[in-house]
């Protein structure tokens, strides 16, 4: 396929045995994996088109072991890639052959729950959903809910600034993190943020959240937990056109309503999800919204009434208000099963761009045109409330030519988002997938300034090398830095 991977450092490869011996001592009570079969499990993430077995994998069990591993790698100038559950759709956790993968899955404990202050402190390897489970007894929850929340870890969420269906009301990861413990490449442990909503000084917490594992290795996080709402009810609304659905989304937001979720599905997505989940979705509409509101019973009724009135201006073909828990589950069933449903039909690339809400209808029409131009089907399922698009480009992974066409189609869609006044990513990150597109959104001066910030945390460019920035610029920065070692 079309994404180039960095050249491997032969000096590192030639020292493999001595590196493995040193790592064995550094990992302590953790685990070192160096056999071919074991490494294969870490050769890719959810961007499965690219696979490279790492030099080795280490599975630490504590921050102190992470410190020892980082110090060893820094001293020996060995690249290091932090990995959570490997659910990254942008290739953010794919290693290079001369890199060590540091997997944090064994660091999965809840360290503290503070109900009065509404916080929980957890290790980076805990799953997103497990945080909510740990505080459910007190009727609290952790708000960000990516589609992969059953598997994805808080460390990965922090790296990519993940969101989810409920991000419209509750925000994405950066809005729900208070403090991080992070190990820098030289082994120094820093704490960013604090046990309060807004700390003094530079916002290093905001800088680190979404940095894609390029600044340090997050080992612990203090997150906000919220009180569970009294209730929630979704509304399913079907329209004769994507333009009408997009107009309804913009009108809901303009009216001052903040639903807890506002999801969009186009006709191809509706059909695919209904065939799989049998959720009762209308098959005679061109686009569908799932709008969920929450609160006290009277508050919910008021919001649903306002949504119905707004939707009526766009002449919906279907408007179904949930009347029971079973009906709510059915409305969400197809949306929650979307990725598996599309996977039954074809291989796919799930893109991640952001656009202004006012451009929604216009951009959706252009996305369809881009797919037609490349001869590929595109299903659209996304968080409409904040303009975070997730076009799913369907193709045949066994056809090498079609793989390249699918990536070109994805690139054109992301350029379309930037041209509309949006950006390349909302929650998946840049990784390797969008690395070369960074020049489309940013000037050279912008990129160089961002890279200087990266270099301040990781002067030798050893952490998650090959991601985020155009490869030629990274190679230049890294060569200049390592020439002085």
């Amino acid at each position: 396929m079309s994404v180039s991977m960095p050249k491997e450092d032969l000096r590192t490869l030639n020292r493999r045995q001595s590196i493995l011996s040193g790592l064995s001592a550094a990992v302590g009570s953790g685990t070192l994996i160096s056999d071919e079969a074991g490494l294969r499990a870490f050769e890719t993430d959810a961007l499965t088109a690219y696979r490279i077995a790492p030099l080795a994998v280490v599975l630490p069990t504590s921050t102190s072991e992470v410190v020892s591993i980082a110090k060893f790698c820094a001293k020996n100038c060995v690249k290091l890639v932090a990995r959570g559950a490997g659910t990254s759709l942008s290739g953010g956790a794919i290693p290079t052959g001369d890199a060590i993968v540091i997997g944090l899955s064994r660091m999965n404990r809840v360290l503290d729950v503070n109900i009065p202050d509404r916080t929980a402190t957890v290790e980076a390897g805990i799953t997103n959903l497990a945080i909510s489970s740990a505080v459910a007894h007190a009727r609290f929850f952790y708000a960000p809910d990516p589609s992969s929340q059953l598997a994805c870890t808080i460390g990965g969420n922090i790296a990519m600034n993940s969101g989810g269906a409920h991000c419209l009301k509750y925000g994405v990861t950066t809005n729900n993190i208070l403090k991080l413990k992070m190990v820098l490449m030289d082994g120094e442990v820093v704490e960013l943020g604090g046990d309060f909503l807004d700390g003094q000084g530079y916002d290093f917490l905001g800088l680190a959240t979404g940095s894609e594992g390029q600044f340090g290795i997050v080992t612990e996080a203090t997150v906000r937990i919220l009180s569970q709402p009294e209730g929630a009810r979704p509304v399913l609304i079907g329209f004769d056109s994507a333009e009408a659905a997009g107009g309804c989304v913009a009108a809901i937001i303009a009216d001052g309503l903040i639903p807890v979720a506002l999801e969009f599905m186009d006709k191809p997505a509706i059909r695919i999800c209904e065939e799989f989940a049998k959720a009762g979705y209308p098959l005679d509409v061109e686009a569908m919204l799932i709008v969920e509101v929450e609160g006290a019973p009277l508050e919910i009724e008021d919001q649903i009434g306002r949504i119905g009135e707004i939707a009526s201006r766009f002449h919906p073909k279907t408007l179904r208000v949930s009347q029971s828990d079973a009906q709510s589950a059915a409305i969400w069933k197809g949306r929650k099963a979307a990725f598996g449903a599309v996977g039954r039909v074809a291989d796919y690339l799930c893109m991640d761009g952001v656009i202004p809400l006012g451009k929604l209808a216009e951009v959706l029409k252009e996305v369809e045109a881009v797919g037609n131009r490349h001869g590929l089907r595109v299903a659209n399922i996304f968080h409409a409330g904040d303009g975070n698009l997730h076009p799913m480009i369907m193709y045949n992974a066994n056809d090498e030519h079609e793989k390249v066409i699918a990536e070109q189609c994805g690139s054109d869609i992301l350029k379309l988002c930037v041209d509309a006044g949006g950006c390349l990513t909302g929650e998946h990150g840049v990784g390797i997938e969008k690395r070369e597109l960074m020049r489309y959104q940013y000037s050279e001066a912008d990129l160089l300034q961002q890279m200087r910030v990266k270099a301040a945390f990781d002067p030798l460019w050893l952490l998650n090398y090959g991601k985020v920035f155009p490869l030629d610029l990274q190679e230049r920065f890294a060569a200049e830095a390592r020439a002085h070692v």
Side-chain angles (χ1 to χ4, degrees):
M1 300 197 43
S2 59
V3 175
S4 300
M5 297 302 290
K7 294 177 183 177
E8 295 173 355
D9 189 335
L10 293 179
R11 294 170 298 178
T12 300
L13 297 178
N14 291 335
R15 293 182 291 129
R16 185 173 189 270
Q17 286 307 315
S18 64
I19 290 170
L20 292 179
S21 298
L23 276 174
S24 182
V27 77
S29 62
T31 299
L32 170 65
I33 299 171
S34 58
D35 63 290
E36 183 180 350
L39 296 178
R40 194 171 296 125
F42 297 87
E43 66 184 4
T44 190
D45 55 19
L47 188 68
T48 55
Y50 298 90
R51 299 173 182 272
I52 301 175
L55 190 74
V57 174
V58 287
L59 304 175
T61 59
S62 67
T63 296
S64 62
E65 288 177 359
V66 174
V67 168
S68 297
I69 293 162
K71 284 182 175 179
F72 173 82
C73 289
K75 181 180 178 181
N76 290 275
C77 205
V78 177
K79 296 168 188 167
L80 194 56
V81 179
R83 179 186 174 100
T87 58
S88 170
L89 288 161
S90 64
I94 294 176
T96 52
D98 57 350
I100 307 300
V101 168
I102 182 165
L104 300 170
S105 58
R106 294 187 176 181
M107 297 178 62
N108 57 10
R109 295 177 300 162
V110 176
L111 301 175
D112 179 65
V113 173
N114 186 328
I115 297 299
D117 289 344
R118 296 180 296 169
T119 67
T121 300
V122 298
E123 291 183 317
I126 193 170
T127 62
N128 183 291
L129 197 58
I131 300 176
S132 290
S133 297
V135 298
H137 67 281
R139 293 195 56 78
F140 277 76
F141 73 109
Y142 176 64
D145 60 337
S147 296
S148 57
Q149 65 175 325
L150 184 64
C152 66
T153 65
I154 190 65
N157 285 189
I158 291 165
M160 299 303 185
N161 195 20
S162 305
H166 290 85
C167 64
L168 177 59
K169 181 172 183 178
Y170 293 119
V172 294
T173 300
T174 193
N175 307 113
N176 291 276
I177 300 290
L178 295 176
K179 182 170 69 175
L180 299 179
K181 180 176 285 187
M182 188 166 73
V183 179
L184 302 183
M185 194 63 219
D186 62 2
E188 182 180 359
V189 180
V190 296
E191 288 193 355
L192 309 178
D195 298 313
F196 36 80
L197 288 177
D198 192 15
Q200 61 186 6
Y202 291 121
D203 184 16
F204 287 115
L205 177 64
L207 185 67
T209 305
S211 60
E212 304 201 23
Q214 292 215 320
F215 290 177
I217 302 156
V218 173
T219 60
E220 295 178 16
T222 298
V223 305
R224 297 173 63 197
I225 54 174
L226 304 175
S227 181
Q228 294 177 7
E230 285 188 50
R233 287 169 69 189
V235 182
L236 184 154
I237 315 172
F239 297 90
D240 277 329
S241 69
E243 289 82 2
C248 185
V249 169
I252 288 172
I253 301 300
D255 195 64
L257 277 166
I258 306 295
V260 68
L262 184 42
E263 298 289 290
F264 180 105
M265 300 172 70
D266 67 4
K267 187 166 188 172
I270 295 167
R271 184 171 297 278
I272 290 170
C273 291
E274 176 60 19
E275 288 174 354
F276 175 61
K278 304 294 189 291
Y281 288 168
L283 298 178
D284 61 342
V285 299
E286 294 296 319
M288 185 181 86
L289 299 179
I290 298 174
V291 189
E292 183 167 273
V293 297
E294 65 181 19
L298 290 178
E299 183 183 8
I300 289 174
E301 290 295 337
D302 176 68
Q303 291 181 79
I304 287 175
R306 290 170 64 189
I307 289 167
E309 190 279 322
I310 292 168
S312 69
R313 304 174 205 164
F314 300 89
H315 311 293
K317 199 166 186 178
T318 300
L319 196 155
R320 185 187 309 162
V321 179
S322 171
Q323 301 298 330
S324 66
D325 290 344
Q327 289 182 15
S328 296
I331 287 174
W332 278 108
K333 185 179 180 183
R335 173 62 184 91
K336 294 290 186 181
F339 295 107
V342 177
R344 289 174 68 244
V345 175
D347 304 298
Y348 65 88
L349 292 178
C350 180
M351 308 309 294
D352 167 53
V354 180
I355 61 168
L357 281 179
K359 298 285 186 71
L360 185 58
E362 173 188 334
V363 170
L364 286 174
K365 185 177 291 186
E366 288 299 317
V367 167
E368 181 181 9
V370 169
N372 291 338
R373 191 161 65 245
H374 289 282
L376 297 172
R377 291 182 296 165
V378 180
N380 288 287
I381 305 172
F382 56 87
H383 314 313
D386 63 348
N388 187 189
L389 305 187
H390 291 310
M392 301 171 77
I393 303 166
M394 292 174 272
Y395 71 103
N396 179 6
N398 295 315
D399 185 329
E400 292 299 324
H401 178 62
E402 197 163 302
K403 286 181 183 179
V404 174
I405 292 175
E407 286 194 338
Q408 291 172 346
C409 180
S411 177
D412 287 348
I413 289 173
L414 292 173
K415 289 178 179 179
L416 176 64
C417 292
V418 174
D419 291 341
C423 61
L424 293 172
T425 179
E427 59 177 336
H428 292 180
V430 176
I432 64 171
E433 178 192 47
K434 306 164 191 169
R435 184 187 65 203
E436 304 307 324
L437 285 173
M438 288 286 276
R439 279 195 169 103
Y440 195 83
Q441 180 168 344
Y442 297 104
S443 69
E444 204 82 350
D446 293 333
L447 289 171
L448 291 174
Q449 186 57 45
Q450 292 179 53
M451 295 176 77
R452 292 185 191 105
V453 175
K454 149 74 172 172
F457 284 87
D458 178 24
L460 296 181
W461 286 74
L462 297 175
L463 277 169
N464 214 11
Y465 184 70
K467 315 296 170 51
V468 182
F469 302 109
L471 194 53
D472 64 312
L473 290 181
Q474 290 190 64
E475 289 175 342
R476 193 179 89 199
F477 263 68
E480 291 173 356
R482 295 170 194 170
H484 302 292
V485 177

